[in-house]
Amino acid sequence: MRKVLTVIVLLLLAWPMAARTDSLRLGFSVRGRVVDAQTGRPLESVHISIPGRHQATVTNAEGNFVLKSDRAIEWIECSFLGYRTRRLSAEDDITIRLPRENLQLAEASIISGNPRSLLMAALDNLWDNYCKEPELLECFYRETVQKRSRYTYVAEAVARLYKHTYDGSVFRDAAALEKSRVLVSQRSRDTLSVKTMGGPTQAVTHDVLKNKEVIFNETDLDYYDFQMGRPAYIGDRLQFVIDMIPARNADYALFRCKVYIDREFLTFSRVEASLDMSDRAKATRMLLVSKPLGLRFFPQEASLVLNYRLVEGKTRLEYFRSTIRFDCDWRKRLFRTRYTTINELVITDVRPEATPIPRKERFRQRDYLSDKALEFQDSDFWKDYNIIEPTESLEHAIDRLRKGR
């Protein structure tokens, strides 16, 4: 279970097969953009939701979003790390200016207890704070690969995600595709392609609160030093911030982590983890599954961000994003090529009935989304789904990939 941060396989990609189903029609929508109130800078990964409902999405790198619902939308709510939560009336093509949440001196100086003890108290609270009823969630998942600055692969999916009650394991959790599509570069010099294992099941393996084997197991915690960071706000809620720094040698690569814990409820709100690259051989063993003979692999970055949301006193995974950067070259060649993979998933809805996913429909952790998806064709492919809006650069890349350029 240790190899659960996004794993990479370097192989030739087979042309995909179709997989799609229908969903509830979402006939109402709000389109907008979220920016910093002071600077006007677009804000990425802002959580956009409808108060009193489960539909949600996040902004893209340009701050843009579209939020859809099967009922008229009167209000929307925006929440983001370090900014005040805003609730405002829904208007199309709206620009939302989020003001920063400034810490008062008294708040910034509230640091009580040992940071490891505080982290352990939050872990002990998981049984009480994590959802106690099974849930069937709808999510949107996207994975992209860039060769230098050019996209060579884009795959997207809407999936059902079944999350069982908290029992300290993820073995009952599962994901299944609802609808998916893919574009792969057909240029001959892109024959070395990157595939990502697991697709939407990463929302199972990346749930570091439920799957403690990733980071928060008792054995690994002994390898870290813990420090209290400056408190921060997520929305309107004050957070303890704990830095976890690898301090002892392990047989495998550890993570550098920043953990945000709700001060009032001692629930996890956000985890930022970056794989320690001080020993490249250990990092490579964590990330690489296989590669062509003669290819050399040089990991540069492997990072993970997970946001959790407090809903009616219970913690639920809301969003994750993983980024891996690595260089490759062939033996006896002078120059390396930089590759970047980004995988992100957002929970967009909660189904009314928590029906377990039949085994035959489950997306397996060793499956590849590229092997199961349709080609990008229909411009209204996501008409009835909430998604993460593509950025202008990604839309341009999709157009180039369609044309084989």
Side-chain angles (χ1 to χ4, degrees):
M1 293 299 296
R2 189 164 300 284
K3 293 185 178 180
V4 295
L5 189 65
T6 307
V7 288
I8 300 298
V9 178
L10 304 178
L11 292 171
L12 296 178
L13 290 177
W15 196 249
M17 299 184 297
R20 65 179 293 177
T21 61
D22 294 325
S23 181
L24 181 68
R25 180 171 295 278
L26 301 180
F28 300 90
S29 66
V30 174
R31 182 181 299 271
R33 188 167 185 255
V34 183
V35 300
D36 182 289
Q38 183 175 358
T39 66
R41 177 177 60 88
L43 298 178
E44 181 180 8
S45 302
V46 177
H47 188 261
I48 311 292
S49 60
I50 306 172
R53 303 188 208 170
H54 295 299
Q55 283 108 353
T57 188
V58 294
T59 58
N60 65 15
E62 295 156 353
N64 297 322
F65 71 91
V66 174
L67 182 60
K68 304 172 188 176
S69 177
D70 58 330
R71 292 176 284 161
I73 305 172
E74 296 183 6
W75 300 89
I76 59 173
E77 187 171 278
C78 309
S79 178
F80 190 51
L81 172 65
Y83 289 79
R84 297 179 192 169
T85 294
R86 287 201 64 187
R87 179 180 293 195
L88 59 165
S89 59
E91 303 174 16
D92 210 16
D93 293 322
I94 187 174
T95 297
I96 302 168
R97 301 183 181 277
L98 281 190
R100 289 184 175 272
E101 187 67 79
N102 295 318
L103 281 170
Q104 302 298 320
L105 181 61
E107 295 171 327
S109 61
I110 296 175
I111 300 176
S112 60
N114 179 282
R116 174 164 180 165
S117 298
L118 182 60
L119 179 73
M120 296 304 296
L123 289 171
D124 290 340
N125 279 347
L126 283 176
W127 177 259
D128 293 326
N129 292 329
Y130 208 92
C131 291
K132 286 201 169 50
E133 298 295 330
E135 291 186 314
L136 187 63
L137 310 173
E138 186 172 287
C139 58
F140 177 76
Y141 171 78
R142 175 184 289 137
E143 56 188 37
T144 62
V145 177
Q146 288 177 268
K147 180 181 179 182
R148 298 188 179 93
S149 61
R150 187 172 65 83
Y151 286 91
T152 62
Y153 168 83
V154 180
E156 300 174 329
V158 167
R160 285 172 290 148
L161 179 63
Y162 177 76
K163 298 285 284 182
H164 195 261
T165 56
Y166 182 80
D167 59 4
S169 74
V170 295
F171 297 113
R172 297 188 188 183
D173 295 358
L177 295 181
E178 291 281 299
K179 193 174 186 181
S180 55
R181 63 181 185 175
V182 67
L183 267 177
V184 181
S185 173
Q186 298 301 296
R187 291 170 57 165
S188 59
R189 59 173 172 265
D190 289 332
T191 53
L192 177 66
S193 297
V194 177
K195 295 177 73 173
T196 304
M197 266 188 185
T201 66
Q202 292 182 57
V204 175
T205 56
H206 285 71
D207 188 346
V208 296
L209 302 188
K210 201 171 186 183
N211 187 9
K212 293 183 182 178
E213 290 305 310
V214 183
I215 298 173
F216 296 127
N217 62 86
E218 292 185 9
T219 299
D220 282 6
L221 291 178
D222 289 336
Y223 291 111
Y224 290 90
D225 282 345
F226 299 82
Q227 299 177 2
M228 292 299 300
R230 180 182 174 86
Y233 275 95
I234 296 181
D236 297 328
R237 305 198 61 81
L238 185 61
Q239 310 287 320
F240 291 115
V241 180
I242 299 174
D243 292 312
M244 296 173 53
I245 303 166
R248 293 158 190 82
N249 189 39
D251 294 334
Y252 41 83
L254 300 171
F255 295 89
R256 295 181 178 272
C257 302
K258 188 177 291 289
V259 183
Y260 296 78
I261 297 174
D262 187 281
R263 179 189 165 200
E264 180 181 0
F265 291 102
L266 284 186
T267 58
F268 289 82
S269 300
R270 181 178 171 96
V271 177
E272 302 170 2
S274 179
L275 196 65
D276 184 8
M277 292 291 173
S278 59
D279 188 321
R280 303 287 172 157
K282 290 180 182 179
T284 297
R285 289 197 296 271
M286 290 281 284
L287 298 172
L288 187 65
V289 174
S290 66
K291 63 179 180 65
L293 185 65
L295 185 79
R296 297 190 296 182
F297 178 87
F298 305 92
Q300 304 298 323
E301 174 193 349
S303 60
L304 180 68
V305 174
L306 301 104
N307 288 341
Y308 292 87
R309 190 167 183 81
L310 195 63
V311 181
E312 297 176 350
K314 301 301 177 185
T315 297
R316 176 190 296 135
L317 180 65
E318 167 187 278
Y319 172 78
F320 89 79
R321 177 187 177 99
S322 67
T323 302
I324 295 181
R325 303 185 198 280
F326 58 94
D327 294 340
C328 284
D329 70 7
W330 296 93
R331 296 186 187 279
K332 299 182 180 180
R333 292 190 180 179
L334 294 177
F335 302 105
R336 296 180 182 178
T337 301
R338 172 65 53 88
Y339 289 86
T340 302
T341 75
I342 297 177
N343 306 317
E344 57 183 340
L345 179 145
V346 61
I347 303 301
T348 58
D349 207 348
V350 179
R351 300 286 179 89
E353 296 183 2
T355 308
I357 297 172
R359 186 172 298 275
K360 64 181 180 181
E361 297 180 20
R362 294 181 184 180
F363 196 97
R364 297 173 299 176
Q365 292 182 15
R366 299 188 69 85
D367 285 343
Y368 304 101
L369 181 57
S370 57
D371 295 334
K372 298 176 178 293
L374 288 165
E375 302 173 35
F376 277 67
Q377 296 293 345
D378 183 4
S379 60
D380 289 329
F381 194 78
W382 300 125
K383 182 176 181 180
D384 296 327
Y385 296 91
N386 273 305
I387 69 168
I388 303 171
E389 281 290 283
T391 61
E392 184 178 351
S393 61
L394 184 58
E395 288 180 327
H396 180 63
I398 289 170
D399 185 57
R400 290 175 60 89
L401 285 170
R402 278 176 174 154
K403 296 175 180 177
R405 294 160 57 189

